[in-house]
Amino acid sequence: MPATSSNKPYRVGRSKTGLGLFATKPITKGTRIIRYYGPILDSRIPEHDDIENKYLFELNGRWTIDGSVRKNLARYINHSCRPNAESDVRPRERKVFIRAIKNIEPGDEINYDYGTDYFKAYLKPIGCKCESCEKKRKKLRAEARAERAKVKARAERKAEKASVKSAKKKKLNGHAVGKAKGRARA
């Protein structure tokens, strides 16, 4: 893992989704945190178009940054549906900067929204692991458990009523009590 100097406001560390980039110092809203860099690929060149990895950052329809180089620490920034940073894409300069959109405290994971194309291709099949989606899933699971408990309690009450009814019928020496329909039999 690449070493980071102490004057950087971030470090690479273990996160729920693998490795992540974490703040080591307070980062104020609007601050440029890190540059996403790597070789620039041209989509018109067939060899460049065939490169497949998760660290490709598309600048526009033609240019893409291959961020898989080890020195690119920005590649460790994970996706979040409720991010604390965003990408500042400058296609003419062929540069991408990650900028804070909220105040980030030391120890917080730095994250940004990867966009719908990346989300659909890589994250949706396995499920988003960001904190807001985890909370949403946890709430949905709790609601589902509560609903199952309600249904189970209803079924138990219904079964209890049915057993009480059948017990009343048995008490009357095997004769059912109720309205007679038609003629009475002897």
Side-chain angles (χ1 to χ4, degrees), residues 47-78:
E47 299 85 48
H48 289 180
D49 207 26
D50 292 339
I51 294 175
E52 283 290 322
N53 70 52
K54 292 182 180 180
Y55 302 112
L56 297 176
F57 198 112
E58 191 173 291
L59 296 170
N60 56 27
R62 180 175 175 192
W63 302 106
T64 302
I65 297 175
D66 180 4
S68 62
V69 294
R70 301 263 311 165
K71 286 185 177 180
N72 180 25
L73 295 181
R75 74 184 185 148
Y76 295 111
I77 300 175
N78 290 314

Side-chain angles (χ1 to χ4, degrees), residues 8 18 24 29 33 41 53 56 74 85 89-90 95 102 106-107 162-163 166-167 171:
K8 302 283 184 184
T24 57
K29 179 180 177 178
I33 302 169
L41 307 176
N53 70 52
L56 297 176
V89 181
R90 299 181 179 184
K95 292 181 181 179
K102 297 178 183 175
S163 68
S166 67
K171 280 185 179 179

Side-chain angles (χ1 to χ4, degrees), residues 43-182:
S43 64
R44 294 186 304 179
I45 300 173
E47 299 85 48
H48 289 180
D49 207 26
D50 292 339
I51 294 175
E52 283 290 322
N53 70 52
K54 292 182 180 180
Y55 302 112
L56 297 176
F57 198 112
E58 191 173 291
L59 296 170
N60 56 27
R62 180 175 175 192
W63 302 106
T64 302
I65 297 175
D66 180 4
S68 62
V69 294
R70 301 263 311 165
K71 286 185 177 180
N72 180 25
L73 295 181
R75 74 184 185 148
Y76 295 111
I77 300 175
N78 290 314
H79 165 80
S80 177
C81 295
R82 300 204 180 220
N84 55 15
E86 69 181 1
S87 56
D88 181 12
V89 181
R90 299 181 179 184
R92 288 182 187 258
E93 298 171 28
R94 298 187 188 145
K95 292 181 181 179
V96 174
F97 295 99
I98 308 302
R99 185 171 42 89
I101 57 172
K102 297 178 183 175
N103 290 331
I104 304 171
E105 298 300 319
D108 289 351
E109 184 173 2
I110 300 168
N111 46 50
Y112 65 93
D113 189 349
Y114 286 178
T116 54
D117 293 340
Y118 188 95
F119 186 87
K120 286 178 184 175
Y122 294 103
L123 299 176
K124 193 171 186 177
I126 59 170
C128 181
K129 305 273 192 255
C130 77
E131 192 174 324
S132 65
C133 288
E134 287 289 335
K135 283 181 184 175
K136 196 183 304 178
R137 273 195 294 276
K138 190 175 182 180
K139 181 181 177 186
L140 290 174
R141 284 192 303 266
E143 288 171 355
R145 275 193 308 275
E147 185 61 31
R148 283 193 304 268
K150 265 193 216 176
V151 169
K152 186 178 177 183
R154 245 186 262 136
E156 287 172 353
R157 284 194 305 270
K158 191 175 180 180
E160 191 176 318
K161 280 183 181 180
S163 68
V164 167
K165 242 184 189 179
S166 67
K168 282 183 180 180
K169 284 183 179 182
K170 286 181 183 177
K171 280 185 179 179
L172 297 170
N173 295 328
H175 296 301
V177 175
K179 289 185 179 179
K181 290 184 182 178

